[in-house]
Amino acid sequence: MQPMEKATIVFKGLGLFLLLSAVLFASQYLLMENGILNLNFKIHFLMFFITFIGLLTILIVFALEKKNIIGFIFLGFVVFKFFAMGYIALFQKDFRLNIVPYFIIYWIYLIIEVFFVLRLVKKQD
């Protein structure tokens, strides 16, 4: 695969992730404005930031053609994100009050991340 193709995949991946994240933030805002569900944007931003850093790392490793470590990097960031969620659950009262919606957001980000990793692994072979 040519370097330009890899760069295109990286930028398309990041762009798609940012677009999906914007939809998630907009959905949270609309739910808050309509009085349906009031969630803390700081917690959502933390989940976004951890996922973004993990995805960016995975895409850079893909672009550098470091085979066979994308899965390990993905697993490391999933474990890190899970422990970050546990830490937030212990120290944020708002998280405990709305634990189900926050874990739904967590799972949505995880599904997005799994989708990207699967596509990258298929492209590597």
Side-chain angles (χ1 to χ4, degrees), residues 37-104:
L37 188 60
N38 192 9
L39 299 175
N40 189 343
F41 278 103
K42 287 190 264 184
I43 295 172
H44 188 167
F45 184 74
L46 178 66
M47 285 187 275
F48 160 78
F49 187 70
I50 292 171
T51 305
F52 178 74
I53 295 298
L55 189 61
L56 182 64
T57 305
I58 290 168
L59 287 168
I60 289 172
V61 166
F62 170 77
L64 295 175
E65 293 185 358
K66 301 291 184 186
K67 293 189 177 214
N68 302 326
I69 63 169
I70 288 179
F72 293 113
I73 293 170
F74 168 71
L75 182 62
F77 274 103
V78 167
V79 170
F80 176 70
K81 191 173 9 174
F82 188 73
F83 280 115
M85 293 291 290
Y87 178 80
I88 293 169
L90 286 175
F91 296 108
Q92 289 287 330
K93 182 181 177 187
D94 186 44
F95 185 88
R96 283 181 262 159
L97 296 175
N98 297 309
I99 195 162
V100 173
Y102 285 120
F103 269 103
I104 289 172

